[in-house]
Amino acid sequence: MVRSPRRSVFPDPNRATRDGLVAYGDDLTPELLVDAYSHGIFPWFDDDAQPVLWWSPDPRAVMAPAELRVSKSLGKRIRSGAFRVTMDLAFGDVTAACAAPRADSAGTWITPRMRICYRQLHDVGLAHSVEAWHGDALVGGLYGISLGRMFFGESMFSRVPDASKVALAHLAKQLEAWDFDLIDCQLPTRHLASLGAREVPRRDFLERVAANRRLPHRRGRWMFDDNVTG
């Protein structure tokens, strides 16, 4: 069983480089991933043949579940029932879609080795996916790590407009119902800001993460409550 360590093998992320680099190395295991997320650090690198880079940026993009900004058009899209939204039904397909090349990027940071580790965390009930379906077709979704009452978002994808936003909206509503405190969005972007993400100093974020380490995890396969998807 993968456990959340109280003492980390990583250097203090408050002492990260100016661009947020905490450490680099060759190892990438489920245990290291849990250690990293438990201390406000995440992996981000381009090639399995290169060292694993571990980051803790300053500022950090975060969002409380209740802070998700639902525009009029997105709200209409959700109410239309255009998508069927599920959880943990197609984790491998979601990570594969998130890893696929995109029009605005030549590569991907979700390497085969990373996908294997996230899959292992999914198998022990710590990594979760949200899927948006149109009929039987997977058209959008996201995945991340759940520790304590924080959800550490990793990546999302859309094959049709608004599919990933609808998935995120359902996730935020469910996390709010489960009394989750925070969604970690990692790096600030205009897209995330438009959805309600805000920037916080790294030191403040790490204090929240430290308090979160004392809380139990919500393990196992996740399913939406009826009132969230109904």
Side-chain angles (χ1 to χ4, degrees):
M1 179 179 293
V2 179
R3 299 182 183 276
S4 299
R6 296 297 179 91
R7 299 183 63 182
S8 178
V9 301
F10 291 96
D12 181 357
N14 279 306
R15 299 180 180 177
T17 63
R18 189 172 183 177
D19 59 359
L21 182 63
V22 176
Y24 66 91
D26 294 327
D27 289 339
L28 183 64
T29 65
E31 290 77 14
L32 273 179
L33 284 177
V34 172
D35 184 355
Y37 286 105
S38 297
H39 293 85
I41 303 166
F42 59 86
W44 188 24
F45 60 105
D46 297 328
D47 189 336
D48 276 337
Q50 302 298 321
V52 180
L53 305 179
W54 301 91
W55 304 84
S56 185
D58 187 12
R60 191 79 165 220
V62 301
M63 179 195 305
E67 293 174 347
L68 178 71
R69 187 176 299 139
V70 177
S71 65
K72 289 183 179 180
S73 60
L74 179 57
K76 184 177 180 180
R77 188 78 153 163
I78 294 170
R79 292 190 297 273
S80 73
F83 303 113
R84 175 173 59 93
V85 185
T86 60
M87 301 178 85
D88 285 345
L89 197 60
F91 185 87
D93 292 334
V94 170
T95 56
C98 288
R102 307 188 187 198
D104 58 351
S105 177
T108 178
W109 68 96
I110 308 171
T111 69
R113 189 158 50 135
M114 287 179 71
R115 287 178 57 194
I116 290 171
C117 284
Y118 286 118
R119 180 73 210 200
Q120 290 172 320
L121 288 180
H122 175 69
D123 289 343
V124 297
L126 291 177
H128 303 279
S129 60
V130 181
E131 304 89 16
W133 306 84
H134 183 68
D136 293 330
L138 179 65
V139 295
L142 60 91
Y143 78 97
I145 309 296
S146 171
L147 298 172
R149 289 206 297 265
M150 296 179 67
F151 185 85
F152 299 84
E154 264 303 311
S155 187
M156 56 200 308
F157 80 98
S158 283
R159 291 173 176 154
V160 299
D162 292 335
S164 63
K165 293 180 182 179
V166 171
L168 177 60
H170 281 76
L171 172 65
K173 187 174 180 181
Q174 184 62 74
L175 293 178
E176 185 179 4
W178 286 340
D179 294 324
F180 271 58
D181 297 322
L182 210 62
I183 299 172
D184 173 31
C185 303
Q186 298 184 348
L187 296 168
T189 67
R190 288 185 178 180
H191 174 66
L192 290 171
S194 72
L195 294 172
R198 52 189 168 85
E199 297 181 13
V200 298
R202 178 173 57 210
R203 184 171 296 277
D204 293 351
F205 175 75
L206 294 178
E207 289 176 357
R208 297 283 296 271
V209 170
N212 188 67
R213 285 198 295 272
R214 299 192 291 268
L215 303 176
H217 305 321
R218 190 179 188 94
R219 288 182 179 269
R221 179 182 172 183
W222 282 6
M223 296 180 65
F224 283 112
D225 294 341
D226 290 342
N227 63 339
V228 171
T229 56

